[in-house]
Amino acid sequence: GAGVSQTPSNKVTEKGKYVELRCDPISGHTALYWYRQSLGQGPEFLIYFQGTGAADDSGLPNDRFFAVRPEGSVSTLKIQRTERGDSAVYLCASSARGRGVEAFFGQGTRLTVV
Amino acid sequence: AQTVTQSQPEMSVQEAETVTLSCTYDTSESDYYLFWYKQPPSRQMILVIRQEAYKQQNATENRFSVNFQKAAKSFSLKISDSQLGDAAMYFCAYRRGYNQGGKLIFGQGTELSVKP
């Protein structure tokens, strides 16, 4: 596809369940980012991949959150034992290498934990 | 640590008029980038304009321009000839320089409404 694709668009899950959120970056983009946006707030950084490896995971809030990018393209954000406080929009972005390059965002996954 | 602050939760402008959104940031670094992103109800972040810290000239993109005051750590966005389609959340964002990782640090956002 032409842009960053995130699936599902919306996800409702029960407290304590496990969820996976998927991000398909723009083809050829080596950098991939996950952000979390709570209601009425700006996005907060979670994790950054350069290729297959997590170059910076300093934004992951706790060990219930994990992300992978096994082949350097698609990434999955995994949340275990979901809590109501995890409810937010999860945004994915990708960019090419290079100085000053733009990050392109997907439309996000709205996660609601009930 | 770097921080970005937007002190205007909401702003309103009349169609065809000009509005300025404020942003301040804090950093000890000399090489960085600043951005303004627009987020409509579709949730997708759209880049409006970017500024490289080493460039003194203010960036301009059609009706959008910035006032970059590096010493004051201020980065405001001016929207001229406002249109109904400009109504959205606007986020100011900071990114460290090249080869420092590309994560963005966002402000809290300003909700812009445009009155016909």
Side-chain angles (χ1 to χ4, degrees):
Chain A
V4 178
S5 175
Q6 290 189 246
T7 54
S9 179
N10 294 281
K11 174 73 176 178
V12 180
T13 191
E14 293 181 347
K15 178 176 177 296
K17 297 290 188 181
Y18 168 83
V19 296
E20 290 189 351
L21 312 179
R22 177 186 169 104
C23 173
D24 278 273
I26 292 173
S27 178
H29 280 191
T30 57
L32 185 145
Y33 308 85
W34 283 99
Y35 294 85
R36 179 168 70 173
Q37 186 175 21
S38 300
L39 190 63
Q41 301 293 318
E44 294 179 312
F45 169 77
L46 294 176
I47 187 169
Y48 155 53
F49 288 90
Q50 185 61 252
T52 60
D56 182 355
D57 64 357
S58 62
L60 294 177
N62 52 61
D63 61 6
R64 295 186 298 104
F65 288 74
F66 189 71
V68 296
R69 195 186 185 199
E71 297 178 357
S73 179
V74 171
S75 177
T76 305
L77 179 65
K78 308 180 181 193
I79 310 174
Q80 298 177 324
R81 304 183 304 280
T82 51
E83 300 177 357
R84 293 196 177 88
D86 298 334
S87 296
V89 172
Y90 290 81
L91 294 167
C92 177
S94 70
S95 70
R97 287 194 76 113
R99 186 176 181 87
V101 293
E102 176 183 352
F104 293 85
F105 282 80
Q107 291 187 305
T109 295
R110 181 180 299 281
L111 175 66
T112 304
V113 182
V114 297
Chain B
Q2 297 85 21
T3 59
V4 177
T5 302
Q6 294 177 250
S7 58
Q8 306 156 315
E10 299 175 350
M11 290 285 283
S12 180
V13 64
Q14 205 72 31
E15 193 175 8
E17 297 295 310
T18 295
V19 64
T20 298
L21 307 185
S22 300
C23 173
T24 59
Y25 61 95
D26 191 24
T27 184
S28 59
E29 299 176 337
S30 58
D31 184 19
Y32 54 87
Y33 303 88
L34 296 166
F35 305 85
W36 279 97
Y37 279 89
K38 172 184 177 181
Q39 187 179 42
S42 68
R43 302 195 304 241
Q44 186 170 20
M45 288 282 191
I46 301 166
L47 179 64
V48 174
I49 198 166
R50 92 185 85 197
Q51 175 81 40
E52 298 187 36
Y54 68 87
K55 290 186 177 179
Q56 292 187 344
Q57 186 172 4
N58 289 325
T60 299
E61 288 287 343
N62 300 314
R63 298 183 295 107
F64 300 88
S65 61
V66 298
N67 184 4
F68 174 47
Q69 301 288 329
K70 191 172 184 179
K73 297 179 181 173
S74 170
F75 182 62
S76 60
L77 173 70
K78 185 171 83 171
I79 306 174
S80 303
D81 185 26
S82 296
Q83 301 175 359
L84 295 177
D86 295 334
M89 284 292 291
Y90 285 82
F91 291 96
C92 178
Y94 168 100
R95 197 188 91 184
R96 297 176 71 187
Y98 186 55
N99 279 339
Q100 299 296 321
K103 75 180 184 184
L104 294 164
I105 299 169
F106 288 88
Q108 305 92 319
T110 297
E111 184 171 11
L112 177 67
S113 59
V114 181
K115 298 179 180 178

